[in-house]
Amino acid sequence: MPRAMIIDTDTASDDAVAILMALRHPDIDVKAITVVAGNMPVAQGSINARYTVELCGADVPVYDGIDLPLVSTVYRAYFFHGPDGMGNMNYPAPKRPAEPKHAVDALIDTIKANPGIILVTLGPLTNVAVAVSKAPEIVPLVS
């Protein structure tokens, strides 16, 4: 039986590779991808995550989350990943839009619906921090 997983990401090229590997692994069932600001702003990270999902031929919802750090200043890794986060390769825009639900609510709902789910965090923990603050009962439900 595949392991259920949520990926919380600030999707640039390195996270896109991790998403691709998870989506293509036969023992992993990615239930949701939540996007947080970090190396990329949420809007660009969302585009990159949705493009990667489509590239894999997967049907995984992508949810946009918090676009600013809770405490620290904004930092983007444009110098490394390029302004688009994918090395300026000019990949086509994804066809599927981000889901209307906020990433924090998607985290809470997906964790509650899948006790024992694996939470993979590839970026700042802003979405996770707000989800735990809003619904602390989710903490023991995550593997």
Side-chain angles (χ1 to χ4, degrees):
M1 187 163 158
R3 296 172 287 170
M5 181 180 287
I6 301 171
I7 299 173
D8 188 66
T9 173
D10 61 343
T11 322
S13 56
D14 54 339
D15 291 7
V17 171
I19 292 168
L20 187 143
M21 292 174 71
L23 292 174
R24 301 298 296 160
H25 197 288
D27 188 37
I28 296 174
D29 179 13
V30 179
K31 299 291 188 183
I33 297 172
T34 53
V35 182
V36 66
N39 285 335
M40 293 292 115
V42 165
Q44 188 63 54
S46 177
I47 289 168
N48 297 343
R50 290 181 283 123
Y51 170 76
T52 304
V53 169
E54 288 179 10
L55 183 67
C56 291
D59 185 26
V60 176
V62 176
Y63 302 91
D64 294 353
I66 298 172
D67 198 31
L68 295 171
L70 293 177
V71 179
S72 64
T73 58
V74 173
Y75 172 81
R76 306 286 188 232
Y78 298 133
F79 75 95
F80 188 80
H81 295 290
D84 71 350
M86 302 289 265
N88 294 327
M89 296 302 295
N90 299 309
Y91 294 122
K95 293 175 183 76
R96 184 173 171 177
E99 300 296 320
K101 184 185 290 187
H102 193 277
V104 169
D105 296 321
L107 279 166
I108 293 166
D109 294 345
T110 306
I111 290 168
K112 286 181 176 181
N114 299 276
I117 196 165
I118 299 165
L119 176 58
V120 177
T121 55
L122 303 176
L125 299 176
T126 316
N127 286 339
V128 175
V130 174
V132 168
S133 176
K134 188 173 180 179
E137 67 275 12
I138 65 173
V139 173
L141 302 176
V142 175
S143 287

